[in-house]
């Protein structure tokens, strides 16, 4: 059960992965792994790298390491009751999404925070983020929201189903893809309209992860990983 993976180029491409709530790290491209969990409380939901720092979020708040995962410290801004479910970083900008507490922003690696939730539902469950150009998109259990300034949010749900619980977002080849229950949707007009892609997975399968390496689009389910080389038009099931 992998909930997060990050590679830090400032740490010689050291890998960190969250598996079954714990964090492991590799310095040889994933051939060997060691536990890197000391100081973290709870089960890790997601990971992010910003400069040489790596952050891990759990149901008990936000934790960070400045020593390659040897030990972790708590970011004291967030109380134990704030469960962080999504994180994304771009340059010095860091955004985190929570359950029922909206979205927070830091421009200095978590030292100071702003609550940037104008336009979001009061009880928003923020489950994913993606940058697309200069815009930031947030996937929630109430649909997708778009921000041009990182502070104010507007709905971008035209064409999505009524029960639009968003599990994952990614920007791939100038197209945004969203995983909603057992379907993947896409937009070519910055979220103004969405259309569903033709899927290759069983209709009973929930798509829980999306990713891109620049040329290939990946969709992860509880059973398999599917890949598309033509922007989601056709899919191949990978052996796992």
């Amino acid at each position: 059960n992998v909930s997060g993976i990050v590679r830090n180029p400032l740490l010689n491409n050291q890998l960190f992965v969250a598996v079954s709530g714990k964090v492991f790290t590799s310095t040889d491209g994933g051939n060997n792994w060691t536990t890197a969990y000391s100081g973290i409380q709870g089960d890790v939901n997601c990971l992010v790298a910003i400069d040489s720092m790596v952050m891990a979020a759990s149901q008990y708040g936000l934790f960070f390491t400045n020593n390659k995962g040897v030990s972790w410290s708590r970011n004291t801004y967030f109380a134990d009751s704030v469960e962080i479910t999504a994180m994304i970083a771009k340059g010095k900008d860091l955004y985190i999404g929570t359950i029922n507490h909206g979205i927070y922003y830091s421009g200095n690696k978590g030292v100071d925070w702003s609550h940037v939730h104008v336009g979001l539902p009061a009880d928003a469950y923020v489950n994913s983020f993606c940058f697309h150009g200069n815009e930031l998109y947030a996937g929630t259990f109430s649909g997708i929201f778009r921000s041009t300034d990182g502070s104010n949010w507007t709905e971008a749900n035209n064409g999505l189903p009524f029960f639009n619980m968003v599990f994952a977002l990614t920007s791939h080849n100038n197209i945004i893809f969203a995983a909603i229950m057992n379907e993947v949707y896409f937009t070519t007009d910055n979220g103004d309209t969405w259309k569903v892609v033709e899927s290759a997975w069983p209709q009973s399968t929930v798509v829980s992860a999306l990713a891109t390496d620049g040329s290939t689009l990946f969709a992860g389910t509880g059973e398999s990983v599917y890949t598309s080389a033509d922007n989601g038009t056709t899919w191949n099931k990978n052996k796992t």
Side-chain angles (χ1 to χ4, degrees):
N1 183 15
V2 178
S3 58
I5 185 167
V6 67
R7 181 184 66 181
N8 196 322
L10 295 183
L11 299 178
N12 296 319
N13 289 322
Q14 182 176 357
L15 288 167
F16 294 81
V17 61
V19 180
S20 299
K22 302 296 189 289
V23 178
F24 299 84
T25 187
S26 172
T27 58
D28 59 6
N31 292 313
N32 297 281
W33 295 88
T34 57
T35 305
Y37 188 73
S38 178
I40 298 177
Q41 299 175 25
D43 295 329
V44 175
N45 297 320
C46 48
L47 297 166
V48 73
I50 182 166
D51 287 341
S52 60
M53 179 186 292
V54 177
M55 292 186 172
S58 79
Q59 72 268 38
Y60 296 125
L62 183 62
F63 302 84
F64 64 92
T65 178
N66 284 312
N67 57 12
K68 302 182 180 180
V70 174
S71 61
W72 299 76
S73 302
R74 175 190 289 275
N75 185 297
T76 57
Y77 182 87
F78 296 99
D80 290 350
S81 59
V82 177
E83 181 168 1
I84 298 169
T85 46
M87 295 193 291
I88 193 169
K90 184 177 183 181
K92 300 291 185 180
D93 295 328
L94 172 64
Y95 293 86
I96 67 166
T98 68
I99 298 177
N100 298 332
H101 294 276
I103 296 172
Y104 293 82
Y105 163 78
S106 175
N108 55 9
K109 296 191 289 188
V111 175
D112 301 297
W113 294 91
S114 302
H115 200 191
V116 289
H117 62 125
V118 176
L120 293 175
D123 58 348
Y125 186 138
V126 182
N127 205 43
S128 56
F129 289 112
C130 81
F131 281 105
H132 184 70
N134 293 322
E135 296 183 330
L136 177 61
Y137 292 76
T140 78
F141 279 9
S142 304
I144 296 172
F145 293 81
R146 175 178 57 199
S147 177
T148 58
D149 61 6
S151 297
N152 299 279
W153 302 85
T154 57
E155 289 189 42
N157 295 318
N158 185 29
L160 297 181
F162 179 77
F163 294 104
N164 49 8
M165 298 171 64
V166 182
F167 291 110
L169 291 169
T170 194
S171 177
H172 172 78
N173 287 346
N174 207 34
I175 304 170
I176 305 172
F177 292 86
I180 299 177
M181 301 301 290
N182 62 333
E183 302 281 10
V184 173
Y185 291 78
F186 72 96
T187 177
T188 57
D189 54 13
N190 299 324
D192 289 339
T193 57
W194 295 85
K195 297 179 180 179
V196 67
V197 305
E198 293 294 329
S199 63
W201 44 86
Q203 286 299 302
S204 59
T205 299
V206 172
V207 181
S208 57
L210 294 171
T212 177
D213 65 1
S215 59
T216 303
L217 179 65
F218 300 85
T221 71
E223 296 78 25
S224 300
V225 175
Y226 294 79
T227 61
S228 175
D230 53 12
N231 297 330
T233 302
T234 58
W235 298 86
N236 293 310
K237 182 179 181 179
N238 286 14
K239 293 182 179 180
T240 55

